[in-house]
Amino acid sequence: MELSKLTSKGQITIPKKIRQALQLEEGDRVAFIEEDGFVIMAKADLKQLHDLQDILSDEAFKTLIHKANHHL
């Protein structure tokens, strides 16, 4: 788990480990998808967003998010 602090302007720094995992570079765009109280961040390119759409529509994923949400 990586943590980041929100500034008064609503900005966060994406931790280096996460930037590396997503292969993010300066100027890249990111997408934020909210699902049942959780937020997923992904590199905003067509292939990765398509892959993410497949994951989000998977019933096993929806069940996992639902269970996690009720255990918080």
Side-chain angles (χ1 to χ4, degrees):
M1 176 188 304
E2 298 291 325
L3 299 175
S4 191
K5 188 175 181 179
L6 184 69
T7 70
S8 62
K9 293 183 180 184
Q11 299 171 329
I12 61 169
T13 298
I14 301 170
K16 184 176 182 178
K17 184 176 178 180
I18 302 301
R19 292 192 316 264
Q20 290 173 333
L22 296 178
Q23 299 177 347
L24 291 172
E25 297 178 7
E26 184 178 347
D28 285 345
R29 298 179 64 88
V30 294
F32 297 91
I33 299 101
E34 188 275 332
E35 182 71 31
D36 199 20
F38 290 86
V39 176
I40 298 164
M41 184 183 87
K43 188 173 183 175
D45 69 33
L46 289 178
K47 180 184 178 340
Q48 289 182 308
L49 290 176
H50 183 322
D51 292 347
L52 183 57
Q53 183 179 18
D54 290 344
I55 293 168
L56 292 174
S57 64
D58 183 79
E59 286 302 317
F61 176 79
K62 289 180 181 181
T63 300
L64 177 66
I65 292 296
H66 182 73
K67 285 181 182 179
N69 200 19
H70 290 296
H71 284 93
L72 293 178

